[in-house]
Amino acid sequence: MMNFFRNRLVVLGLVLLATVLLYLLLPSIRQGSMEPSLEVQQRMGLIAASPPPPPSSINITVRTGQLPGDPPLFFREALPVDSAGRQILPRLQMVLLHGQAFTSKTWEELGTLSLLASNGYQALALDLPGFGNSPDSESVKSDQSRVDLLKRFLEALGVRAPVLLSPSMSGHYALPFLQRHSAQLHGFVPIAPVGTRGITPQQYRDIQTPTLIIYGELDTNLGAQSHKNLIQLPHHSVVKLVGARHACYMDKPREFHRALLDFLSKLD
């Protein structure tokens, strides 16, 4: 009789344990039916394994706007504040472009816009034509038309002598602008941009804009190629993010932000 009750207790205990485990695992199981878990995504290389930067203790509002024209241009803006969260005059203005797989929202989600604003910089992130909330247009199919687009954006928003950040695909816009209007830029931050082979050695030497070249150690294609070409710029420094791929700022956000703020502090 005692053995019967003991066996019943063991069975009830196992059922109770299985119920608890099922309850704890249910959210993961439900998530797994829709998308890989965070750990699986990291192992598959779909997202960065590095933790995002800690949120700023200052509450930063990222505003959005749309500049009319052909095409209309959507943008996000974070205005500079002091340590008490009061709006101040910017130490510098920074314009952030984006790569093929990203939009201006990338810089908001990564915390870059808030980080810049909390350090006293005005940050503007643009959706390039055909990406995010900016419609595509046949009017931006040449280098000159893309230069004109950036000029229109800067002039309309009263941006003078900004630091221009350009990853990957956005090199189609940034590099022609750098060639023609380098004197209008206070600084340049290329992150493995396309188009670096289209500039001659003499053209590189003529550009006096302070430049921070950033690329990922594992980006042996565009990163290595752009690095080789961009070091012809006379006033450059280089940051290679160890263990990072092409979108190195996604893989190593802390290191990326640290390098960016250090570069900007030297331009003030």
Side-chain angles (χ1 to χ4, degrees):
M1 195 64 151
M2 290 295 294
N3 287 337
F4 174 76
F5 282 113
R6 189 180 297 113
N7 291 338
R8 288 289 299 274
L9 287 173
V10 169
V11 171
L12 287 172
L14 290 173
V15 170
L16 180 60
L17 178 60
T19 302
V20 171
L21 289 173
L22 181 62
Y23 175 78
L24 292 174
L25 292 173
L26 185 58
S28 298
I29 294 171
R30 292 183 63 186
Q31 181 189 33
S33 66
M34 295 181 290
E35 61 182 11
S37 68
L38 180 63
E39 182 181 357
V40 170
Q41 289 188 62
Q42 289 173 349
R43 286 203 302 265
M44 292 172 66
L46 298 178
I47 61 173
S50 298
S56 170
S57 58
I58 304 172
N59 186 24
I60 304 292
T61 299
V62 177
R63 309 188 305 181
T64 62
Q66 187 134 9
L67 185 68
D70 181 20
L73 298 172
F74 179 87
F75 64 93
R76 301 173 196 272
E77 178 183 29
L79 295 174
V81 295
D82 61 17
S83 58
R86 294 183 296 258
Q87 190 173 324
I88 58 174
L89 291 174
R91 298 167 63 180
L92 284 173
Q93 295 174 301
M94 184 157 195
V95 174
L96 300 95
L97 307 182
H98 61 81
Q100 181 82 30
F102 305 101
T103 68
S104 64
K105 191 168 182 61
T106 302
W107 302 118
E108 181 178 359
E109 294 176 339
L110 199 64
T112 309
L113 298 182
S114 294
L115 183 72
L116 290 169
S118 63
N119 279 273
Y121 303 106
Q122 179 185 3
L124 288 154
L126 169 66
D127 276 358
L128 293 170
F131 297 87
N133 295 312
S134 293
D136 202 358
S137 173
E138 289 298 318
S139 66
V140 288
K141 301 305 181 184
S142 67
D143 283 352
Q144 187 57 53
S145 64
R146 290 189 282 266
V147 169
D148 292 341
L149 179 139
L150 283 184
K151 281 192 66 178
R152 172 167 69 92
F153 179 77
L154 298 178
E155 290 171 1
L157 296 177
V159 179
R160 296 178 176 84
V163 177
L164 181 62
L165 182 144
S166 173
S168 195
M169 173 275 299
S170 67
H172 285 310
Y173 291 81
L175 288 172
F177 189 92
L178 181 71
Q179 284 180 263
R180 294 163 172 81
H181 303 291
S182 61
Q184 295 183 24
L185 295 177
H186 200 71
F188 182 48
V189 184
I191 309 175
V194 301
T196 59
R197 289 189 295 186
I199 304 176
T200 68
Q202 183 58 53
Q203 287 173 325
Y204 274 119
R205 288 192 291 269
D206 290 341
I207 296 171
Q208 300 300 308
T209 307
T211 299
L212 172 64
I213 302 165
I214 303 178
Y215 71 105
E217 176 192 29
L218 304 181
D219 185 7
T220 56
N221 185 15
L222 196 52
Q225 176 193 109
S226 61
H227 168 254
K228 178 182 178 181
N229 295 322
L230 289 167
I231 57 174
Q232 298 176 81
L233 290 166
H235 303 293
H236 75 267
S237 55
V238 179
V239 170
K240 179 169 68 173
L241 297 181
V242 177
R245 296 159 296 178
H246 180 58
C248 55
Y249 45 91
M250 300 293 289
D251 284 345
K252 299 289 182 178
R254 292 180 187 275
E255 293 84 348
F256 164 70
H257 285 142
R258 189 180 304 120
L260 182 60
L261 289 178
D262 181 62
F263 175 67
L264 294 177
S265 69
K266 296 171 182 176
L267 298 177
D268 289 353

